Amino acid sequence: MTTLLPERETTEVLDRTVVARPSLRDTVDHSLAMAWRALKKMRRNPEQWFDVTLQPLLFTAMFAYIFGGAISGSVEDYLPIVITGILAQTALTACMATGIQLREDMDKGVFDRFKSLPIARIAPLVGPAVADLIRYATAATLTILTGVLMGYRPGGGVPGVLAGWVLTVVAGWSLAWIFTYFGTRARSAQAVQGISMMVMFPLTFLSNAFVPAETLPGWLEAFVNVNPVSLVISALRDLMNEGAVTANVGWALLGCGIVVAIFLPLSVRSYNRKM
């Protein structure tokens, strides 16, 4: 037989079960704790660093020596083009791993544990994204150093290189939210990887990363010009090769902001539905 509580007692019971929403400071603290967890996970799994350590070295040398003579006449003349292209490519490849790692944690039940903890719901998403900033910085640094060892001499000097380095990290963090969304929607880590590859390759190779856009057919050039990766690469070339802050830099930052504004809320909403 069911016993009904008086209205006053029912209200008191409900009040005691209400969990206060985390404040902004709590959300930041929780996100940093999740970032520290992601960093410890990276330290215990060295293979997570292969795409930001070995890949930039291999791709820079491979593309420079294979295409340098055919496109620019020499490797030295091709380096200002290919280094900026490799920077964008490695950042895009590195942020692709964000969605894969997210899906693996969800499949292993790690996020079920997070759900039971009194933490901000967005923290498990933001934390790994913050930790991945180190991976983007590593990839950008090694790519630039490899180019310098091969003979790359950026016309923008140290300020231009630092500005390009920062833009690469910002672009990687922004684009990572696309793959975070894939991680919350796909059914397995393998599916996330497959979807991410289908997105990464067109964005990378259908851009001005390795060849000038004006050498492409008209219809393809039109796509390349609006490709967000092309916007980032053009901005990198202006900063690193010319030392100039041009409209391309503004368009690149605007494009990164639009990507975050679209895919961060979509990722959080999809994550909340799954959890």
PDB file of all heavy atoms in Angstrom, residues 193-211:
ATOM      1  N   GLN A 193      37.000   7.265 -36.455  1.00  0.00           N
ATOM      2  CA  GLN A 193      38.207   7.362 -37.272  1.00  0.00           C
ATOM      3  C   GLN A 193      37.869   7.403 -38.753  1.00  0.00           C
ATOM      4  O   GLN A 193      38.440   8.192 -39.505  1.00  0.00           O
ATOM      5  CB  GLN A 193      39.140   6.197 -36.962  1.00  0.00           C
ATOM      6  CG  GLN A 193      40.474   6.275 -37.697  1.00  0.00           C
ATOM      7  CD  GLN A 193      41.414   5.160 -37.283  1.00  0.00           C
ATOM      8  OE1 GLN A 193      41.016   4.216 -36.605  1.00  0.00           O
ATOM      9  NE2 GLN A 193      42.677   5.256 -37.676  1.00  0.00           N
ATOM     10  N   GLY A 194      36.939   6.543 -39.186  1.00  0.00           N
ATOM     11  CA  GLY A 194      36.560   6.526 -40.594  1.00  0.00           C
ATOM     12  C   GLY A 194      35.922   7.827 -41.035  1.00  0.00           C
ATOM     13  O   GLY A 194      36.264   8.379 -42.099  1.00  0.00           O
ATOM     14  N   ILE A 195      34.999   8.342 -40.224  1.00  0.00           N
ATOM     15  CA  ILE A 195      34.348   9.609 -40.561  1.00  0.00           C
ATOM     16  C   ILE A 195      35.365  10.751 -40.574  1.00  0.00           C
ATOM     17  O   ILE A 195      35.352  11.614 -41.458  1.00  0.00           O
ATOM     18  CB  ILE A 195      33.212   9.904 -39.568  1.00  0.00           C
ATOM     19  CG1 ILE A 195      32.118   8.834 -39.667  1.00  0.00           C
ATOM     20  CG2 ILE A 195      32.614  11.285 -39.823  1.00  0.00           C
ATOM     21  CD1 ILE A 195      31.061   8.930 -38.584  1.00  0.00           C
ATOM     22  N   SER A 196      36.246  10.747 -39.581  1.00  0.00           N
ATOM     23  CA  SER A 196      37.239  11.819 -39.479  1.00  0.00           C
ATOM     24  C   SER A 196      38.186  11.818 -40.672  1.00  0.00           C
ATOM     25  O   SER A 196      38.555  12.881 -41.178  1.00  0.00           O
ATOM     26  CB  SER A 196      38.038  11.664 -38.182  1.00  0.00           C
ATOM     27  OG  SER A 196      37.197  11.729 -37.056  1.00  0.00           O
ATOM     28  N   MET A 197      38.574  10.634 -41.135  1.00  0.00           N
ATOM     29  CA  MET A 197      39.461  10.561 -42.299  1.00  0.00           C
ATOM     30  C   MET A 197      38.777  11.111 -43.542  1.00  0.00           C
ATOM     31  O   MET A 197      39.403  11.794 -44.357  1.00  0.00           O
ATOM     32  CB  MET A 197      39.888   9.119 -42.530  1.00  0.00           C
ATOM     33  CG  MET A 197      40.758   8.542 -41.414  1.00  0.00           C
ATOM     34  SD  MET A 197      42.405   9.280 -41.317  1.00  0.00           S
ATOM     35  CE  MET A 197      43.185   8.497 -42.710  1.00  0.00           C
ATOM     36  N   MET A 198      37.473  10.822 -43.686  1.00  0.00           N
ATOM     37  CA  MET A 198      36.739  11.335 -44.844  1.00  0.00           C
ATOM     38  C   MET A 198      36.622  12.848 -44.817  1.00  0.00           C
ATOM     39  O   MET A 198      36.483  13.488 -45.864  1.00  0.00           O
ATOM     40  CB  MET A 198      35.346  10.697 -44.902  1.00  0.00           C
ATOM     41  CG  MET A 198      35.341   9.243 -45.312  1.00  0.00           C
ATOM     42  SD  MET A 198      33.676   8.611 -45.654  1.00  0.00           S
ATOM     43  CE  MET A 198      32.913   8.749 -44.032  1.00  0.00           C
ATOM     44  N   VAL A 199      36.664  13.436 -43.645  1.00  0.00           N
ATOM     45  CA  VAL A 199      36.617  14.891 -43.524  1.00  0.00           C
ATOM     46  C   VAL A 199      38.008  15.495 -43.655  1.00  0.00           C
ATOM     47  O   VAL A 199      38.206  16.514 -44.318  1.00  0.00           O
ATOM     48  CB  VAL A 199      35.984  15.291 -42.170  1.00  0.00           C
ATOM     49  CG1 VAL A 199      36.097  16.792 -41.941  1.00  0.00           C
ATOM     50  CG2 VAL A 199      34.529  14.850 -42.118  1.00  0.00           C
ATOM     51  N   MET A 200      38.999  14.842 -43.031  1.00  0.00           N
ATOM     52  CA  MET A 200      40.343  15.402 -42.987  1.00  0.00           C
ATOM     53  C   MET A 200      40.988  15.475 -44.363  1.00  0.00           C
ATOM     54  O   MET A 200      41.574  16.503 -44.729  1.00  0.00           O
ATOM     55  CB  MET A 200      41.222  14.575 -42.049  1.00  0.00           C
ATOM     56  CG  MET A 200      42.613  15.167 -41.855  1.00  0.00           C
ATOM     57  SD  MET A 200      43.792  13.997 -41.154  1.00  0.00           S
ATOM     58  CE  MET A 200      44.000  12.843 -42.515  1.00  0.00           C
ATOM     59  N   PHE A 201      40.894  14.403 -45.131  1.00  0.00           N
ATOM     60  CA  PHE A 201      41.588  14.385 -46.425  1.00  0.00           C
ATOM     61  C   PHE A 201      41.070  15.442 -47.398  1.00  0.00           C
ATOM     62  O   PHE A 201      41.889  16.154 -48.012  1.00  0.00           O
ATOM     63  CB  PHE A 201      41.512  12.990 -47.032  1.00  0.00           C
ATOM     64  CG  PHE A 201      42.555  12.049 -46.499  1.00  0.00           C
ATOM     65  CD1 PHE A 201      42.203  10.981 -45.700  1.00  0.00           C
ATOM     66  CD2 PHE A 201      43.900  12.245 -46.769  1.00  0.00           C
ATOM     67  CE1 PHE A 201      43.164  10.118 -45.189  1.00  0.00           C
ATOM     68  CE2 PHE A 201      44.879  11.394 -46.273  1.00  0.00           C
ATOM     69  CZ  PHE A 201      44.502  10.323 -45.477  1.00  0.00           C
ATOM     70  N   PRO A 202      39.749  15.606 -47.580  1.00  0.00           N
ATOM     71  CA  PRO A 202      39.306  16.690 -48.467  1.00  0.00           C
ATOM     72  C   PRO A 202      39.712  18.073 -47.959  1.00  0.00           C
ATOM     73  O   PRO A 202      40.125  18.928 -48.747  1.00  0.00           O
ATOM     74  CB  PRO A 202      37.783  16.534 -48.487  1.00  0.00           C
ATOM     75  CG  PRO A 202      37.536  15.111 -48.126  1.00  0.00           C
ATOM     76  CD  PRO A 202      38.618  14.761 -47.155  1.00  0.00           C
ATOM     77  N   LEU A 203      39.598  18.302 -46.640  1.00  0.00           N
ATOM     78  CA  LEU A 203      39.961  19.612 -46.114  1.00  0.00           C
ATOM     79  C   LEU A 203      41.439  19.904 -46.303  1.00  0.00           C
ATOM     80  O   LEU A 203      41.833  21.053 -46.542  1.00  0.00           O
ATOM     81  CB  LEU A 203      39.607  19.686 -44.624  1.00  0.00           C
ATOM     82  CG  LEU A 203      38.127  19.808 -44.266  1.00  0.00           C
ATOM     83  CD1 LEU A 203      37.939  19.837 -42.752  1.00  0.00           C
ATOM     84  CD2 LEU A 203      37.500  21.044 -44.890  1.00  0.00           C
ATOM     85  N   THR A 204      42.269  18.860 -46.213  1.00  0.00           N
ATOM     86  CA  THR A 204      43.714  19.067 -46.326  1.00  0.00           C
ATOM     87  C   THR A 204      44.179  19.153 -47.771  1.00  0.00           C
ATOM     88  O   THR A 204      44.853  20.117 -48.174  1.00  0.00           O
ATOM     89  CB  THR A 204      44.470  17.925 -45.618  1.00  0.00           C
ATOM     90  OG1 THR A 204      44.073  17.878 -44.246  1.00  0.00           O
ATOM     91  CG2 THR A 204      45.969  18.144 -45.702  1.00  0.00           C
ATOM     92  N   PHE A 205      43.829  18.166 -48.567  1.00  0.00           N
ATOM     93  CA  PHE A 205      44.371  18.103 -49.924  1.00  0.00           C
ATOM     94  C   PHE A 205      43.595  18.957 -50.913  1.00  0.00           C
ATOM     95  O   PHE A 205      44.138  19.325 -51.956  1.00  0.00           O
ATOM     96  CB  PHE A 205      44.417  16.643 -50.388  1.00  0.00           C
ATOM     97  CG  PHE A 205      45.451  15.831 -49.664  1.00  0.00           C
ATOM     98  CD1 PHE A 205      45.105  15.007 -48.617  1.00  0.00           C
ATOM     99  CD2 PHE A 205      46.799  15.918 -50.009  1.00  0.00           C
ATOM    100  CE1 PHE A 205      46.063  14.261 -47.935  1.00  0.00           C
ATOM    101  CE2 PHE A 205      47.758  15.180 -49.332  1.00  0.00           C
ATOM    102  CZ  PHE A 205      47.398  14.355 -48.295  1.00  0.00           C
ATOM    103  N   LEU A 206      42.342  19.274 -50.614  1.00  0.00           N
ATOM    104  CA  LEU A 206      41.599  20.213 -51.451  1.00  0.00           C
ATOM    105  C   LEU A 206      41.736  21.609 -50.854  1.00  0.00           C
ATOM    106  O   LEU A 206      40.761  22.305 -50.577  1.00  0.00           O
ATOM    107  CB  LEU A 206      40.129  19.803 -51.565  1.00  0.00           C
ATOM    108  CG  LEU A 206      39.874  18.443 -52.226  1.00  0.00           C
ATOM    109  CD1 LEU A 206      38.380  18.175 -52.342  1.00  0.00           C
ATOM    110  CD2 LEU A 206      40.536  18.370 -53.608  1.00  0.00           C
ATOM    111  N   SER A 207      42.971  21.999 -50.645  1.00  0.00           N
ATOM    112  CA  SER A 207      43.294  23.311 -50.101  1.00  0.00           C
ATOM    113  C   SER A 207      44.541  23.823 -50.804  1.00  0.00           C
ATOM    114  O   SER A 207      45.045  23.197 -51.748  1.00  0.00           O
ATOM    115  CB  SER A 207      43.526  23.213 -48.583  1.00  0.00           C
ATOM    116  OG  SER A 207      44.734  22.514 -48.319  1.00  0.00           O
ATOM    117  N   ASN A 208      45.028  24.960 -50.353  1.00  0.00           N
ATOM    118  CA  ASN A 208      46.255  25.516 -50.928  1.00  0.00           C
ATOM    119  C   ASN A 208      47.483  25.099 -50.149  1.00  0.00           C
ATOM    120  O   ASN A 208      48.504  25.794 -50.142  1.00  0.00           O
ATOM    121  CB  ASN A 208      46.157  27.041 -50.976  1.00  0.00           C
ATOM    122  CG  ASN A 208      45.956  27.647 -49.592  1.00  0.00           C
ATOM    123  OD1 ASN A 208      45.768  26.936 -48.604  1.00  0.00           O
ATOM    124  ND2 ASN A 208      45.970  28.961 -49.513  1.00  0.00           N
ATOM    125  N   ALA A 209      47.400  23.938 -49.463  1.00  0.00           N
ATOM    126  CA  ALA A 209      48.498  23.495 -48.604  1.00  0.00           C
ATOM    127  C   ALA A 209      49.751  23.156 -49.389  1.00  0.00           C
ATOM    128  O   ALA A 209      50.864  23.470 -48.959  1.00  0.00           O
ATOM    129  CB  ALA A 209      48.058  22.285 -47.777  1.00  0.00           C
ATOM    130  N   PHE A 210      49.608  22.535 -50.556  1.00  0.00           N
ATOM    131  CA  PHE A 210      50.764  21.998 -51.270  1.00  0.00           C
ATOM    132  C   PHE A 210      50.942  22.584 -52.666  1.00  0.00           C
ATOM    133  O   PHE A 210      52.021  22.489 -53.233  1.00  0.00           O
ATOM    134  CB  PHE A 210      50.664  20.476 -51.364  1.00  0.00           C
ATOM    135  CG  PHE A 210      50.464  19.815 -50.023  1.00  0.00           C
ATOM    136  CD1 PHE A 210      49.270  19.210 -49.697  1.00  0.00           C
ATOM    137  CD2 PHE A 210      51.484  19.823 -49.073  1.00  0.00           C
ATOM    138  CE1 PHE A 210      49.081  18.617 -48.463  1.00  0.00           C
ATOM    139  CE2 PHE A 210      51.302  19.236 -47.834  1.00  0.00           C
ATOM    140  CZ  PHE A 210      50.096  18.625 -47.524  1.00  0.00           C
ATOM    141  N   VAL A 211      49.891  23.155 -53.219  1.00  0.00           N
ATOM    142  CA  VAL A 211      49.987  23.783 -54.541  1.00  0.00           C
ATOM    143  C   VAL A 211      49.237  25.108 -54.510  1.00  0.00           C
ATOM    144  O   VAL A 211      48.279  25.265 -53.752  1.00  0.00           O
ATOM    145  CB  VAL A 211      49.407  22.874 -55.655  1.00  0.00           C
ATOM    146  CG1 VAL A 211      50.191  21.581 -55.765  1.00  0.00           C
ATOM    147  CG2 VAL A 211      47.938  22.581 -55.399  1.00  0.00           C
TER     148      VAL A 211
END
